[in-house]
Amino acid sequence: MEKIGEKSPLSASLCLHQRQMIRQGIRRILVISGDSRWCQQQALILAQLLPGDWPWIGEAGSAQTKIIPTYAAKTLLGQEKMHAIFDATTAFDVEALAVLAGTLRAGSWLLLLVPKWSHWPMLIDQDSRRWCGQEQAIATPHFIYHFQRQLLADNEVAFWHQGHCPILPLTESRPPRRGIDGMPTSKQQAILDRLMRAESGVWVLMAARGRGKSTLASMLVTQWPGTCWVTARSKSATQILYQQVTKKAVFWAPDALLVFCRQHDVKQVDWLLIDEAAALPVPLLSALLAYFPRILLITTVQGYEGTGQGFLLKFCARLKHCQYLTLTDPIRWAANDPLERVLDQALLLNNPSKSKTGDEKREQGSLKIIRIAQNEAWQKSHLLPDFYGLLSNAHYRTTPLDLRRLMDAPGMHFAAMLADETLVAAIWLVDEGGLADTLARDIWAGRRRPRGNLVAQSLSAHSGQWLAPILRSRRISRIAVMDKWRRRGIALRMVLAEKQTAQRLDFLSVSFGYTDELSAFWHACGFKLVRIGSHKEASSGCYTAMAILPLNTAAKTLCQSLQQQWVRDRIWLPQWQCYPLPINKIEDRSLNDEDWRELTGFAYAFRPLEASRAALQRLLINSLLPLPALRQYLQQQLPIAEIIIHCHLNGRKALTSCWRQEVQQALLNLDKSRHDIWQKWVME
């Protein structure tokens, strides 16, 4: 490593490195470690030395620089930048870091600002509040140690520690990168030839960032003799493609395109290209496909894309005659790019478990289940990349956020099934429940929404079972089996093993995108379906289903109440009509105690109308009062805007208040003493 001393100007050394990086077509990361203000000052100095775009992502920065908050990092997808700054001195959002790195052109420096190196692992990470399941941020030593090791292990990472001279990598001999001459690579040309011959169908172009997906799409638009339309969630998200085809193709916002297709004939359009297709809701994608003879879906299948894996695993698998295309060699930078390499290693973006399938012919008796403690064993174990890689391959929601949760969030439990030392299956569970009575009531009433407790809170907030968060439970967050080991009862065996270790709990739970196959699996494991969500997930296109496995009498009572309520409410909830009933049908339109509690919670607390819909429908049947705002919405199904005009209100908030007041009046009119009892219970 070459040290830059006082007699060797920093600017000259950086410029020398950048010229070489441009020739070699690579990008590098410079880690600046120290006090937050010092790190930011050095970043500003470097940004002034080297001309470039210099987007700055972080929670704080200099007044001279426009800061992009980490939550807005995905607005950069589809763009190209020269040089960037990522401030991780107080909060380390690794997904935003990966997105930012994916925008950088060859020759770029990524400046990563981090706390003092020796202190960093034990410092509170403010980003952890998003994923740790607690109200307070936590320190994340396991992940930070892991990340530091990956940086130190790569000899092309540059460092600048406060109080020391910067240390830049020695200039290594790499072959000069072949210039980009606008001509397609052999792989791009082969794919382009196939698309140019296409008569109809859906084509899915998948690759990691920088592989030339958008460039290939622009070549198709340019060479196609007919009409091509382009859509994406925003023009900024498809900047590379849009800039290259703006004179030839018409760009549409997805929602506007669907409206246009429903109102006009679009048969003259030969191709619809959907850039970053994984970012669009599945129902919208499905609707658009029906209107065009040829569709090219372009998506980045990499963990930090959020729904990218869901797009591949759920949506594309359902398409008939879908043809898959892939690009593997980088175009925007050279192979073995230092920045891509170190982030792939640190964030486990390359899914290493694909290459390890085990001996599928081995007898079941040779398999063993081991429990994995969430401590430094993760750091030293070869299981970490295999475990996380298997989950990434199998689950559409696995992102680097899950890697952080896996390594440092409290209340996590892990087990793996091994054949000899080869990973065959993995399961990940999360503790939930055990909340105080007062907090549980506040969750039910809509007054509080603490972090974590996904199923326990949902059964209270949406299904009205306020006791659910009080009971102690454990949710199965992920379960996956290697492809060649499936259909052997391995997943069932792992779930039953978890049941045996959870005897001090009240129930196990699971939340999943509903399909008949998954529902049948969880039923075989002993779980009872207790809730179906009201909206389809953007990532899977499925309704969210929740099921529980009761382990004692209290949980069995909860399960019975949930299933009875589901069956009783079914007639008022259209999205539930196509799902099989968990128990025999119940014909009852009277108001029982659970209805009174639900209605009083809506009237005097903050229960949402969607959660109270069935009870409100029964109230309208049993009440003789006019209740115009409620009847217009629930019985006459008038649009919200029309009801607001009819009732002389000034907006949606006023309408909600009107609904609550009407319920108060109806309950008082039906039975004042019963009303008073439940009002007191709700207000306590």
Side-chain angles (χ1 to χ4, degrees):
M1 303 288 274
E2 170 197 351
K3 289 192 176 183
I4 301 177
E6 295 179 359
K7 296 182 180 180
S8 177
L10 178 60
S11 58
S13 187
L14 283 173
C15 290
L16 173 65
H17 272 77
Q18 193 198 6
R19 285 196 296 270
Q20 186 182 52
M21 287 160 60
I22 292 174
R23 286 196 303 270
Q24 296 175 344
I26 63 172
R27 308 161 306 155
R28 283 202 173 101
I29 186 170
L30 169 56
V31 180
I32 303 178
S33 175
D35 296 336
S36 178
R37 179 170 294 183
W38 180 85
C39 290
Q40 293 165 10
Q41 289 172 346
Q42 310 321 305
L44 284 172
I45 292 172
L46 297 181
Q48 292 167 1
L49 289 174
L50 297 174
D53 301 299
W54 290 109
W56 184 312
I57 289 184
E59 303 304 321
S62 167
Q64 305 173 39
T65 307
K66 182 179 180 181
I67 304 300
I68 302 172
T70 53
Y71 65 79
K74 287 189 177 181
T75 61
L76 296 175
L77 288 172
Q79 302 181 39
E80 283 191 328
K81 303 293 182 183
M82 176 62 78
H83 307 309
I85 300 167
F86 189 93
D87 188 348
T89 53
T90 59
F92 192 14
D93 183 342
V94 292
E95 290 177 312
L97 174 65
V99 169
L100 181 62
T103 69
L104 295 181
R105 294 195 294 268
S108 292
W109 282 101
L110 173 58
L111 308 185
L112 177 61
L113 317 186
V114 304
K116 187 176 180 180
W117 195 256
S118 59
H119 296 173
W120 188 15
M122 303 313 299
L123 293 179
I124 299 297
D125 184 349
Q126 295 301 324
D127 183 66
S128 66
R129 296 181 71 248
R130 293 192 305 129
W131 49 261
C132 72
Q134 297 187 345
E135 292 300 306
Q136 301 299 321
I138 62 173
T140 60
H142 300 136
F143 175 79
I144 298 302
Y145 280 133
H146 161 78
F147 194 82
Q148 287 180 322
R149 279 202 306 273
Q150 301 308 316
L151 293 175
L152 292 171
D154 195 307
N155 61 8
E156 292 197 78
V157 174
F159 292 92
W160 190 357
H161 295 284
Q162 187 173 2
H164 300 272
C165 294
I167 304 175
L168 301 184
L170 290 173
T171 54
E172 295 189 2
S173 59
R174 286 173 176 256
R177 183 186 180 214
R178 182 176 70 89
I180 300 177
D181 53 10
M183 299 299 293
T185 65
S186 58
K187 182 66 173 179
Q188 285 178 319
Q189 186 63 58
I191 293 175
L192 185 60
D193 290 343
R194 291 179 63 185
L195 296 177
M196 292 296 293
R197 295 193 300 267
E199 295 183 0
S200 64
V202 178
W203 303 74
V204 182
L205 177 58
M206 301 174 294
R209 292 219 157 269
R211 267 58 185 174
K213 301 184 301 296
S214 296
T215 300
L216 174 59
S218 69
M219 293 175 181
L220 173 63
V221 173
T222 302
Q223 297 183 28
W224 187 262
T227 302
C228 300
W229 283 1
V230 177
T231 188
R233 73 180 190 282
S234 67
K235 281 188 179 180
S236 62
T238 185
Q239 188 181 80
I240 299 173
L241 172 58
Y242 184 71
Q243 287 177 345
Q244 296 178 9
V245 302
T246 183
K247 295 181 180 179
K248 180 82 185 290
V250 177
F251 179 87
W252 287 87
D255 292 336
L257 176 58
L258 183 57
V259 171
F260 185 88
C261 290
R262 286 171 172 168
Q263 297 175 352
H264 301 84
D265 186 356
V266 293
K267 291 180 180 178
Q268 80 281 6
V269 182
D270 299 314
W271 276 99
L272 175 65
L273 286 72
I274 306 179
D275 202 7
E276 297 299 348
L280 298 185
V282 168
L284 178 58
L285 280 175
S286 299
L288 287 173
L289 298 191
Y291 292 98
F292 300 91
R294 304 171 189 84
I295 300 98
L296 178 62
L297 304 176
I298 308 163
T299 191
T300 305
V301 182
Q302 205 160 14
Y304 64 83
E305 294 292 351
T307 59
Q309 289 288 64
F311 182 79
L312 175 63
L313 296 170
K314 296 288 185 179
F315 181 71
C316 296
R318 295 198 298 260
L319 297 178
K320 293 182 179 179
H321 311 301
C322 180
Q323 302 190 58
Y324 297 90
L325 309 168
T326 58
L327 293 168
T328 55
D329 297 330
I331 301 295
R332 288 199 278 134
W333 47 79
N336 198 29
D337 172 69
L339 176 59
E340 182 177 59
R341 182 181 65 232
V342 73
L343 290 184
D344 279 356
Q345 288 294 110
L347 304 183
L348 304 182
L349 293 175
N350 51 359
N351 293 340
S353 68
K354 288 182 178 179
S355 62
K356 298 183 179 181
T357 59
D359 180 5
E360 63 271 19
K361 296 181 180 179
R362 188 175 296 275
E363 293 296 326
Q364 294 276 1
S366 67
L367 301 176
K368 64 178 180 180
I369 296 175
I370 63 168
R371 307 201 68 77
I372 304 171
Q374 188 198 38
N375 52 31
E376 292 184 3
W378 269 134
Q379 306 293 327
K380 302 173 183 177
S381 172
H382 69 280
L383 282 176
L384 175 61
D386 289 348
F387 191 98
Y388 180 76
L390 175 56
L391 295 178
S392 296
N393 292 336
H395 283 270
Y396 58 89
R397 278 185 165 177
T398 306
T399 73
L401 208 65
D402 292 294
L403 179 61
R404 302 216 62 187
R405 186 180 291 115
L406 180 150
M407 298 187 78
D408 285 295
M412 304 290 119
H413 302 269
F414 311 98
M417 181 171 283
L418 305 180
D420 291 334
E421 295 304 312
T422 299
L423 181 71
V424 168
I427 190 169
W428 176 1
L429 302 94
V430 181
D431 284 339
E432 294 192 350
L435 304 184
D437 288 17
T438 53
L439 178 55
R441 284 202 187 192
D442 283 345
I443 291 170
W444 172 86
R447 288 188 285 263
R448 294 187 63 183
R449 285 290 182 271
R451 299 175 188 274
N453 298 286
L454 172 67
V455 170
Q457 283 207 69
S458 182
L459 296 182
S460 175
H462 303 122
S463 297
Q465 298 297 320
W466 76 277
L467 288 171
I470 296 175
L471 300 182
R472 297 178 66 246
S473 60
R474 190 167 291 166
R475 173 172 56 87
I476 298 176
S477 174
R478 301 282 194 275
I479 184 168
V481 180
M482 286 286 189
D483 288 344
K484 293 185 178 181
W485 287 87
R486 290 178 182 170
R487 307 295 179 185
R488 296 174 176 229
I490 288 176
L492 174 62
R493 183 172 162 184
M494 295 196 75
V495 171
L496 294 180
E498 292 303 321
K499 178 183 176 182
Q500 293 302 314
T501 64
Q503 293 306 308
R504 294 185 179 181
L505 301 176
D506 295 301
F507 63 89
L508 296 178
S509 69
V510 65
S511 174
F512 60 96
Y514 185 93
T515 64
D516 291 339
E517 183 180 15
L518 282 178
S519 180
F521 167 74
W522 291 113
H523 179 75
C525 293
F527 284 74
K528 307 295 183 183
L529 194 62
V530 293
R531 170 171 163 73
I532 299 282
S534 57
H535 302 287
K536 290 184 177 181
E537 293 179 311
S539 53
S540 69
C542 303
Y543 287 105
T544 299
M546 293 183 178
I548 67 173
L549 174 58
L551 300 175
N552 57 27
T553 302
K556 289 177 181 177
T557 301
L558 171 67
C559 182
Q560 185 178 27
S561 296
L562 285 162
Q563 291 193 320
Q564 287 177 344
Q565 179 182 325
W566 179 9
V567 173
R568 190 164 176 262
D569 293 351
R570 178 187 174 95
I571 188 174
W572 310 112
L573 302 171
Q575 72 272 15
W576 290 4
Q577 299 299 321
C578 59
Y579 297 104
L581 292 171
I583 58 176
N584 293 332
K585 189 175 181 180
I586 299 174
E587 291 287 352
D588 180 13
R589 300 191 179 187
S590 62
L591 295 180
N592 61 19
D593 281 346
E594 290 195 355
D595 287 329
W596 273 89
R597 182 175 62 218
E598 182 67 44
L599 292 167
T600 312
F602 178 82
Y604 292 102
F606 302 95
R607 296 284 298 165
L609 184 140
E610 195 60 40
S612 306
R613 178 183 290 269
L616 290 169
Q617 291 280 18
R618 285 189 285 270
L619 174 66
L620 294 179
I621 291 174
N622 287 273
S623 176
L624 299 177
L625 296 182
L627 310 176
L630 275 172
R631 294 192 190 277
Q632 287 177 29
Y633 183 67
L634 293 175
Q635 292 182 332
Q636 301 173 34
Q637 299 184 355
L638 296 182
I640 293 285
E642 195 172 326
I643 300 172
I644 290 172
I645 294 172
H646 287 172
C647 297
H648 307 290
L649 301 171
N650 60 3
R652 178 63 184 263
K653 186 177 291 187
L655 176 60
T656 301
S657 296
C658 181
W659 284 336
R660 297 191 193 280
Q661 291 168 11
E662 288 186 351
V663 174
Q664 294 172 18
Q665 296 166 10
L667 295 177
L668 278 166
N669 181 263
L670 281 173
D671 190 331
K672 184 179 184 305
S673 61
R674 206 171 182 185
H675 161 276
D676 293 345
I677 291 171
W678 282 110
Q679 183 187 20
K680 181 180 178 181
W681 186 90
V682 168
M683 303 301 287
E684 284 180 349

